[in-house]
Amino acid sequence: MKGLRVLPGGRAGRGRLYVNLPDGRAVAWYDRQANRISVLEDAHREAILTVLRPYLTGTVSIGPPPVPSAAERAGLALPPDADLAPNRPAEALLGELEHGPAGTRARHRLRQDLLAQQRTGDTFDALEADGWRILHCVPVPGLGRIDHLLIGPAGIFCVRTVPGRRQRVVAGDLLLTVGRTQPRPDPRWTRRAAARAARALTAQVTPALAVVDASRVEVAPTLRDVRILQPPTAAADLASAPAALKPPDVEALFTLARDTRTWLGPTADSAVG
């Protein structure tokens, strides 16, 4: 059958590959970790195998899908363009790097930002084995994009990535400084984004800054509401944090957060000051 599309779900190289009809309806998925193809509509079996063949490795099992979780059912019901789960870390910056400013310095900075977000995203993706659900590049009208939204046993974290550029990073209540550059309003921004996320998800959201490749990080003692994370210890710190959400709550919040309509609804009417 012509027109079948293969779309990634979850993290690149580790998540599922979904096979969709031209109207966006899923007819199968390939679980790369389990090496299994789950066929939803047997009438398309041969066409499904044809479009998936370039992605298959080893001995693959084929059959009807296992009973899906609530989050999986919700993901299958979403139009592909409305599902944030397939977003890769720094996905928005990839387009900016390709079509953005031509100046050497500007492109170098943009590339540093991209690499920092990708490294941070890879660190957070490792939390999925501990019951976390991760979203990247979450669009928030009026604020841009949340780099990483973490939903797991320890709660919900709205994370903005800060490239340390191998310099000293000083985080204060309102501003953050990298080396001798101009102070940045990252603490204020992540507070606003976390407040917006809390309104959208009707749940408590902790603002956080992920500082990557800094020579040293100094945090003002008065900065108590913003969590400072540093790869590669960030994943271990979050995985060992006290539990605040039960697995069904994590799945329900992830189902809500992955839908772009959650972020474009009434909660997006005004920015949070």
Side-chain angles (χ1 to χ4, degrees):
M1 177 182 178
K2 294 183 179 179
L4 290 182
R5 299 176 61 200
V6 178
L7 296 172
R11 306 287 79 80
R14 288 183 286 174
R16 293 175 174 177
L17 293 176
Y18 287 92
V19 181
N20 290 359
L21 293 172
D23 64 3
R25 183 161 48 93
V27 293
W29 69 77
Y30 171 44
D31 188 324
R32 285 179 279 196
Q33 290 184 327
N35 218 19
R36 173 184 170 83
I37 299 174
S38 294
V39 180
L40 295 171
E41 298 192 17
D42 203 60
H44 302 305
R45 177 182 287 250
E46 293 303 319
I48 290 166
L49 291 176
T50 298
V51 297
L52 283 177
R53 189 163 288 119
Y55 306 96
L56 304 180
T57 58
T59 302
V60 180
S61 60
I62 305 171
V67 177
S69 67
E72 290 169 335
R73 289 195 299 271
L76 290 171
L78 281 177
D81 292 343
D83 191 0
L84 298 173
N87 285 4
R88 298 167 294 173
E91 186 159 307
L93 294 183
L94 290 171
E96 291 184 32
L97 189 63
E98 183 176 354
H99 305 291
T104 303
R105 177 173 294 181
R107 288 183 65 83
H108 178 67
R109 292 249 176 207
L110 192 58
R111 183 174 294 277
Q112 285 184 321
D113 290 345
L114 184 147
L115 293 175
Q117 286 193 33
Q118 288 179 331
R119 180 181 172 189
T120 305
D122 289 343
T123 297
F124 293 146
D125 286 346
L127 286 166
E128 289 183 345
D130 296 312
W132 289 74
R133 298 292 179 263
I134 315 299
L135 291 172
H136 304 289
C137 294
V138 177
V140 182
L143 286 177
R145 295 177 184 269
I146 297 172
D147 294 341
H148 318 281
L149 187 72
L150 319 182
I151 305 173
I156 308 173
F157 294 83
C158 170
V159 184
R160 183 173 179 88
T161 303
V162 178
R165 312 186 200 283
R166 299 182 181 179
Q167 300 180 64
R168 185 184 67 156
V169 171
V170 180
D173 286 345
L174 302 177
L175 299 172
L176 178 144
T177 305
V178 178
R180 298 184 179 180
T181 61
Q182 289 293 321
R184 306 158 37 132
D186 296 288
R188 284 185 294 178
W189 188 96
T190 195
R191 284 192 189 98
R192 295 175 66 197
R196 181 75 63 79
R199 292 168 60 194
L201 302 176
T202 61
Q204 183 176 347
V205 179
T206 300
L209 298 173
V211 182
V212 183
D213 286 332
S215 62
R216 186 167 78 254
V217 178
E218 298 177 6
V219 181
T222 51
L223 183 62
R224 301 188 181 96
D225 61 325
V226 177
R227 184 82 172 260
I228 304 298
L229 303 170
Q230 297 183 67
T233 61
D237 292 343
L238 291 173
S240 62
L245 295 175
K246 297 179 180 179
D249 299 326
V250 172
E251 293 300 327
L253 287 163
F254 177 69
T255 298
L256 182 62
R258 71 188 293 179
D259 190 339
T260 56
R261 293 167 293 189
T262 297
W263 306 94
L264 302 176
T267 57
D269 288 344
S270 61
V272 179

